mmCIF file of all heavy atoms in Angstrom:
data_model
loop_
_atom_site.group_PDB
_atom_site.id
_atom_site.type_symbol
_atom_site.label_atom_id
_atom_site.label_comp_id
_atom_site.label_asym_id
_atom_site.label_seq_id
_atom_site.Cartn_x
_atom_site.Cartn_y
_atom_site.Cartn_z
ATOM 1 N N VAL A 29 69.226 46.793 -28.185
ATOM 2 C CA VAL A 29 70.470 46.064 -27.955
ATOM 3 C C VAL A 29 71.366 46.204 -29.179
ATOM 4 O O VAL A 29 70.920 45.965 -30.307
ATOM 5 C CB VAL A 29 70.195 44.579 -27.668
ATOM 6 C CG1 VAL A 29 71.521 43.849 -27.433
ATOM 7 C CG2 VAL A 29 69.274 44.421 -26.476
ATOM 8 N N GLY A 30 72.586 46.587 -28.968
ATOM 9 C CA GLY A 30 73.550 46.676 -30.073
ATOM 10 C C GLY A 30 73.267 47.839 -31.008
ATOM 11 O O GLY A 30 72.432 48.709 -30.747
ATOM 12 N N ARG A 31 73.943 47.801 -32.124
ATOM 13 C CA ARG A 31 73.800 48.877 -33.102
ATOM 14 C C ARG A 31 72.703 48.538 -34.125
ATOM 15 O O ARG A 31 72.454 47.386 -34.429
ATOM 16 C CB ARG A 31 75.113 49.079 -33.877
ATOM 17 C CG ARG A 31 76.259 49.575 -32.991
ATOM 18 C CD ARG A 31 77.510 49.748 -33.830
ATOM 19 N NE ARG A 31 78.638 50.242 -33.019
ATOM 20 C CZ ARG A 31 79.848 50.466 -33.501
ATOM 21 N NH1 ARG A 31 80.089 50.240 -34.786
ATOM 22 N NH2 ARG A 31 80.809 50.913 -32.701
ATOM 23 N N LYS A 32 72.089 49.592 -34.625
ATOM 24 C CA LYS A 32 71.063 49.415 -35.636
ATOM 25 C C LYS A 32 71.731 49.006 -36.957
ATOM 26 O O LYS A 32 72.653 49.632 -37.430
ATOM 27 C CB LYS A 32 70.299 50.731 -35.833
ATOM 28 C CG LYS A 32 69.290 50.700 -36.965
ATOM 29 C CD LYS A 32 68.672 52.069 -37.160
ATOM 30 C CE LYS A 32 67.782 52.105 -38.405
ATOM 31 N NZ LYS A 32 67.227 53.442 -38.632
ATOM 32 N N ALA A 33 71.201 47.913 -37.555
ATOM 33 C CA ALA A 33 71.710 47.465 -38.844
ATOM 34 C C ALA A 33 71.279 48.449 -39.942
ATOM 35 O O ALA A 33 70.158 48.953 -39.922
ATOM 36 C CB ALA A 33 71.210 46.065 -39.157
ATOM 37 N N GLU A 34 72.169 48.707 -40.877
ATOM 38 C CA GLU A 34 71.865 49.661 -41.931
ATOM 39 C C GLU A 34 70.672 49.198 -42.762
ATOM 40 O O GLU A 34 70.569 48.060 -43.185
ATOM 41 C CB GLU A 34 73.108 49.807 -42.852
ATOM 42 C CG GLU A 34 72.945 50.910 -43.880
ATOM 43 C CD GLU A 34 74.211 51.079 -44.701
ATOM 44 O OE1 GLU A 34 75.242 50.489 -44.338
ATOM 45 O OE2 GLU A 34 74.142 51.817 -45.687
ATOM 46 N N GLY A 35 69.725 50.135 -42.974
ATOM 47 C CA GLY A 35 68.549 49.825 -43.766
ATOM 48 C C GLY A 35 67.426 49.151 -42.989
ATOM 49 O O GLY A 35 66.388 48.811 -43.570
ATOM 50 N N ARG A 36 67.618 48.937 -41.700
ATOM 51 C CA ARG A 36 66.593 48.272 -40.885
ATOM 52 C C ARG A 36 65.988 49.240 -39.890
ATOM 53 O O ARG A 36 66.625 50.227 -39.478
ATOM 54 C CB ARG A 36 67.186 47.080 -40.141
ATOM 55 C CG ARG A 36 67.578 45.918 -41.049
ATOM 56 C CD ARG A 36 67.935 44.711 -40.209
ATOM 57 N NE ARG A 36 68.280 43.568 -41.033
ATOM 58 C CZ ARG A 36 68.609 42.369 -40.528
ATOM 59 N NH1 ARG A 36 68.628 42.198 -39.229
ATOM 60 N NH2 ARG A 36 68.908 41.363 -41.336
ATOM 61 N N GLU A 37 64.747 48.936 -39.483
ATOM 62 C CA GLU A 37 64.077 49.774 -38.495
ATOM 63 C C GLU A 37 64.679 49.521 -37.117
ATOM 64 O O GLU A 37 65.184 48.440 -36.823
ATOM 65 C CB GLU A 37 62.573 49.427 -38.452
ATOM 66 C CG GLU A 37 61.813 49.744 -39.701
ATOM 67 C CD GLU A 37 60.349 49.411 -39.539
ATOM 68 O OE1 GLU A 37 59.970 48.272 -39.825
ATOM 69 O OE2 GLU A 37 59.587 50.285 -39.098
ATOM 70 N N ASP A 38 64.613 50.546 -36.263
ATOM 71 C CA ASP A 38 65.005 50.359 -34.868
ATOM 72 C C ASP A 38 64.060 49.334 -34.226
ATOM 73 O O ASP A 38 62.852 49.313 -34.513
ATOM 74 C CB ASP A 38 64.886 51.685 -34.095
ATOM 75 C CG ASP A 38 66.047 52.601 -34.401
ATOM 76 O OD1 ASP A 38 67.134 52.069 -34.711
ATOM 77 O OD2 ASP A 38 65.879 53.837 -34.363
ATOM 78 N N ARG A 39 64.634 48.494 -33.408
ATOM 79 C CA ARG A 39 63.836 47.452 -32.732
ATOM 80 C C ARG A 39 64.028 47.526 -31.226
ATOM 81 O O ARG A 39 65.153 47.753 -30.749
ATOM 82 C CB ARG A 39 64.234 46.074 -33.255
ATOM 83 C CG ARG A 39 63.908 45.861 -34.726
ATOM 84 C CD ARG A 39 64.471 44.543 -35.245
ATOM 85 N NE ARG A 39 63.789 43.395 -34.690
ATOM 86 C CZ ARG A 39 62.634 42.919 -35.157
ATOM 87 N NH1 ARG A 39 62.029 43.532 -36.154
ATOM 88 N NH2 ARG A 39 62.079 41.857 -34.623
ATOM 89 N N LYS A 40 62.939 47.353 -30.502
ATOM 90 C CA LYS A 40 63.003 47.260 -29.059
ATOM 91 C C LYS A 40 62.806 45.806 -28.646
ATOM 92 O O LYS A 40 62.169 45.034 -29.350
ATOM 93 C CB LYS A 40 61.929 48.126 -28.411
ATOM 94 C CG LYS A 40 62.225 49.620 -28.438
ATOM 95 C CD LYS A 40 61.169 50.387 -27.666
ATOM 96 C CE LYS A 40 61.469 51.871 -27.657
ATOM 97 N NZ LYS A 40 60.409 52.640 -26.922
ATOM 98 N N GLN A 41 63.350 45.477 -27.477
ATOM 99 C CA GLN A 41 63.238 44.091 -27.000
ATOM 100 C C GLN A 41 62.690 44.074 -25.597
ATOM 101 O O GLN A 41 62.853 45.003 -24.799
ATOM 102 C CB GLN A 41 64.599 43.413 -27.023
ATOM 103 C CG GLN A 41 65.215 43.330 -28.424
ATOM 104 C CD GLN A 41 66.380 42.399 -28.466
ATOM 105 O OE1 GLN A 41 66.289 41.242 -28.051
ATOM 106 N NE2 GLN A 41 67.502 42.875 -28.998
ATOM 107 N N ILE A 42 61.989 42.976 -25.293
ATOM 108 C CA ILE A 42 61.477 42.677 -23.965
ATOM 109 C C ILE A 42 62.158 41.404 -23.518
ATOM 110 O O ILE A 42 62.319 40.453 -24.284
ATOM 111 C CB ILE A 42 59.957 42.498 -23.963
ATOM 112 C CG1 ILE A 42 59.225 43.800 -24.322
ATOM 113 C CG2 ILE A 42 59.457 41.966 -22.620
ATOM 114 C CD1 ILE A 42 59.273 44.853 -23.247
ATOM 115 N N LYS A 43 62.545 41.368 -22.255
ATOM 116 C CA LYS A 43 63.147 40.149 -21.712
ATOM 117 C C LYS A 43 62.140 39.419 -20.849
ATOM 118 O O LYS A 43 61.505 40.012 -19.964
ATOM 119 C CB LYS A 43 64.414 40.473 -20.892
ATOM 120 C CG LYS A 43 65.025 39.270 -20.207
ATOM 121 C CD LYS A 43 66.298 39.620 -19.470
ATOM 122 C CE LYS A 43 67.465 39.653 -20.417
ATOM 123 N NZ LYS A 43 68.764 39.739 -19.741
ATOM 124 N N TYR A 44 61.982 38.116 -21.109
ATOM 125 C CA TYR A 44 61.186 37.257 -20.251
ATOM 126 C C TYR A 44 62.136 36.396 -19.439
ATOM 127 O O TYR A 44 62.965 35.676 -19.999
ATOM 128 C CB TYR A 44 60.279 36.332 -21.087
ATOM 129 C CG TYR A 44 59.233 37.061 -21.895
ATOM 130 C CD1 TYR A 44 59.450 37.347 -23.243
ATOM 131 C CD2 TYR A 44 58.014 37.414 -21.324
ATOM 132 C CE1 TYR A 44 58.471 37.991 -24.005
ATOM 133 C CE2 TYR A 44 57.041 38.071 -22.079
ATOM 134 C CZ TYR A 44 57.280 38.347 -23.412
ATOM 135 O OH TYR A 44 56.331 38.979 -24.152
ATOM 136 N N THR A 45 62.028 36.465 -18.117
ATOM 137 C CA THR A 45 62.851 35.626 -17.255
ATOM 138 C C THR A 45 61.931 34.690 -16.504
ATOM 139 O O THR A 45 60.961 35.137 -15.867
ATOM 140 C CB THR A 45 63.677 36.467 -16.273
ATOM 141 O OG1 THR A 45 64.511 37.365 -17.012
ATOM 142 C CG2 THR A 45 64.543 35.601 -15.400
ATOM 143 N N MET A 46 62.198 33.401 -16.607
ATOM 144 C CA MET A 46 61.305 32.390 -16.037
ATOM 145 C C MET A 46 62.083 31.400 -15.180
ATOM 146 O O MET A 46 63.277 31.189 -15.337
ATOM 147 C CB MET A 46 60.571 31.618 -17.141
ATOM 148 C CG MET A 46 59.701 32.456 -18.041
ATOM 149 S SD MET A 46 58.780 31.413 -19.200
ATOM 150 C CE MET A 46 58.169 32.666 -20.343
ATOM 151 N N ALA A 47 61.327 30.744 -14.284
ATOM 152 C CA ALA A 47 61.833 29.639 -13.498
ATOM 153 C C ALA A 47 61.017 28.401 -13.908
ATOM 154 O O ALA A 47 59.825 28.354 -13.682
ATOM 155 C CB ALA A 47 61.661 29.929 -12.011
ATOM 156 N N TYR A 48 61.685 27.452 -14.509
ATOM 157 C CA TYR A 48 61.025 26.262 -15.096
ATOM 158 C C TYR A 48 61.358 25.039 -14.291
ATOM 159 O O TYR A 48 62.534 24.773 -13.999
ATOM 160 C CB TYR A 48 61.508 26.118 -16.549
ATOM 161 C CG TYR A 48 60.994 24.891 -17.272
ATOM 162 C CD1 TYR A 48 59.649 24.774 -17.585
ATOM 163 C CD2 TYR A 48 61.875 23.885 -17.659
ATOM 164 C CE1 TYR A 48 59.196 23.655 -18.263
ATOM 165 C CE2 TYR A 48 61.429 22.788 -18.365
ATOM 166 C CZ TYR A 48 60.086 22.670 -18.644
ATOM 167 O OH TYR A 48 59.640 21.561 -19.327
ATOM 168 N N ASP A 49 60.351 24.268 -13.930
ATOM 169 C CA ASP A 49 60.569 23.099 -13.069
ATOM 170 C C ASP A 49 60.440 21.765 -13.798
ATOM 171 O O ASP A 49 60.352 20.717 -13.162
ATOM 172 C CB ASP A 49 59.618 23.121 -11.850
ATOM 173 C CG ASP A 49 58.150 23.051 -12.292
ATOM 174 O OD1 ASP A 49 57.871 22.859 -13.499
ATOM 175 O OD2 ASP A 49 57.263 23.178 -11.405
ATOM 176 N N GLY A 50 60.423 21.810 -15.124
ATOM 177 C CA GLY A 50 60.277 20.573 -15.904
ATOM 178 C C GLY A 50 58.837 20.325 -16.325
ATOM 179 O O GLY A 50 58.571 19.496 -17.196
ATOM 180 N N PHE A 51 57.901 21.045 -15.715
ATOM 181 C CA PHE A 51 56.490 20.958 -16.067
ATOM 182 C C PHE A 51 55.972 22.269 -16.603
ATOM 183 O O PHE A 51 55.331 22.342 -17.644
ATOM 184 C CB PHE A 51 55.679 20.526 -14.838
ATOM 185 C CG PHE A 51 54.194 20.768 -14.954
ATOM 186 C CD1 PHE A 51 53.479 20.202 -15.997
ATOM 187 C CD2 PHE A 51 53.531 21.555 -14.013
ATOM 188 C CE1 PHE A 51 52.098 20.454 -16.103
ATOM 189 C CE2 PHE A 51 52.174 21.786 -14.120
ATOM 190 C CZ PHE A 51 51.464 21.229 -15.171
ATOM 191 N N ALA A 52 56.262 23.333 -15.882
ATOM 192 C CA ALA A 52 55.774 24.656 -16.299
ATOM 193 C C ALA A 52 56.619 25.710 -15.598
ATOM 194 O O ALA A 52 57.535 25.402 -14.837
ATOM 195 C CB ALA A 52 54.298 24.816 -15.923
ATOM 196 N N ALA A 53 56.305 26.959 -15.863
ATOM 197 C CA ALA A 53 57.015 28.056 -15.216
ATOM 198 C C ALA A 53 56.431 28.312 -13.831
ATOM 199 O O ALA A 53 55.249 28.605 -13.706
ATOM 200 C CB ALA A 53 56.929 29.326 -16.067
ATOM 201 N N LYS A 54 57.255 28.142 -12.810
ATOM 202 C CA LYS A 54 56.801 28.430 -11.439
ATOM 203 C C LYS A 54 56.629 29.918 -11.243
ATOM 204 O O LYS A 54 55.791 30.354 -10.447
ATOM 205 C CB LYS A 54 57.809 27.888 -10.441
ATOM 206 C CG LYS A 54 57.883 26.364 -10.348
ATOM 207 C CD LYS A 54 58.970 25.924 -9.405
ATOM 208 C CE LYS A 54 58.636 26.233 -7.954
ATOM 209 N NZ LYS A 54 57.561 25.356 -7.427
ATOM 210 N N LEU A 55 57.409 30.699 -11.949
ATOM 211 C CA LEU A 55 57.340 32.152 -11.844
ATOM 212 C C LEU A 55 57.899 32.754 -13.113
ATOM 213 O O LEU A 55 58.831 32.199 -13.724
ATOM 214 C CB LEU A 55 58.142 32.651 -10.625
ATOM 215 C CG LEU A 55 57.933 34.100 -10.187
ATOM 216 C CD1 LEU A 55 56.522 34.267 -9.643
ATOM 217 C CD2 LEU A 55 58.948 34.478 -9.126
ATOM 218 N N ALA A 56 57.321 33.840 -13.569
ATOM 219 C CA ALA A 56 57.774 34.479 -14.801
ATOM 220 C C ALA A 56 57.690 36.006 -14.624
ATOM 221 O O ALA A 56 56.769 36.520 -13.983
ATOM 222 C CB ALA A 56 56.936 34.038 -15.986
ATOM 223 N N GLU A 57 58.636 36.695 -15.194
ATOM 224 C CA GLU A 57 58.676 38.158 -15.126
ATOM 225 C C GLU A 57 58.866 38.728 -16.537
ATOM 226 O O GLU A 57 59.606 38.187 -17.347
ATOM 227 C CB GLU A 57 59.850 38.629 -14.260
ATOM 228 C CG GLU A 57 59.668 38.395 -12.769
ATOM 229 C CD GLU A 57 58.748 39.407 -12.105
ATOM 230 O OE1 GLU A 57 58.358 40.375 -12.794
ATOM 231 O OE2 GLU A 57 58.452 39.236 -10.918
ATOM 232 N N VAL A 58 58.153 39.845 -16.797
ATOM 233 C CA VAL A 58 58.349 40.612 -18.028
ATOM 234 C C VAL A 58 59.213 41.802 -17.674
ATOM 235 O O VAL A 58 58.825 42.635 -16.843
ATOM 236 C CB VAL A 58 57.004 41.076 -18.593
ATOM 237 C CG1 VAL A 58 57.238 41.904 -19.863
ATOM 238 C CG2 VAL A 58 56.106 39.888 -18.922
ATOM 239 N N LEU A 59 60.391 41.897 -18.267
ATOM 240 C CA LEU A 59 61.361 42.950 -17.921
ATOM 241 C C LEU A 59 61.620 43.837 -19.130
ATOM 242 O O LEU A 59 62.026 43.343 -20.184
ATOM 243 C CB LEU A 59 62.657 42.309 -17.421
ATOM 244 C CG LEU A 59 62.508 41.297 -16.294
ATOM 245 C CD1 LEU A 59 63.837 40.605 -15.994
ATOM 246 C CD2 LEU A 59 61.992 42.008 -15.032
ATOM 247 N N SER A 60 61.362 45.129 -18.967
ATOM 248 C CA SER A 60 61.481 46.035 -20.104
ATOM 249 C C SER A 60 62.454 47.181 -19.845
ATOM 250 O O SER A 60 62.681 48.003 -20.731
ATOM 251 C CB SER A 60 60.118 46.630 -20.443
ATOM 252 O OG SER A 60 59.559 47.314 -19.330
ATOM 253 N N GLU A 61 63.043 47.250 -18.653
ATOM 254 C CA GLU A 61 63.983 48.338 -18.353
ATOM 255 C C GLU A 61 65.406 47.922 -18.753
ATOM 256 O O GLU A 61 65.793 46.760 -18.566
ATOM 257 C CB GLU A 61 63.933 48.665 -16.862
ATOM 258 C CG GLU A 61 62.578 49.174 -16.397
ATOM 259 C CD GLU A 61 62.511 49.382 -14.907
ATOM 260 O OE1 GLU A 61 63.607 49.470 -14.282
ATOM 261 O OE2 GLU A 61 61.412 49.469 -14.361
#
């Protein structure tokens, strides 16, 4: 995401998308594309 900061390593990110009902996650997805 975004531009690489000078002097820093390239970084990859994973997105977690969840549905939260006030107690716990009813459903969660790991999204890497």
Side-chain angles (χ1 to χ4, degrees):
V29 180
R31 295 180 179 180
K32 175 185 173 183
E34 187 176 350
R36 292 189 178 182
E37 295 182 271
D38 283 332
R39 295 173 69 82
K40 285 185 178 178
Q41 299 193 52
I42 295 288
K43 175 176 279 190
Y44 296 97
T45 301
M46 299 186 193
Y48 176 67
D49 62 6
F51 163 57
K54 291 176 70 71
L55 193 67
E57 289 281 353
V58 178
L59 306 173
S60 58
E61 297 176 17

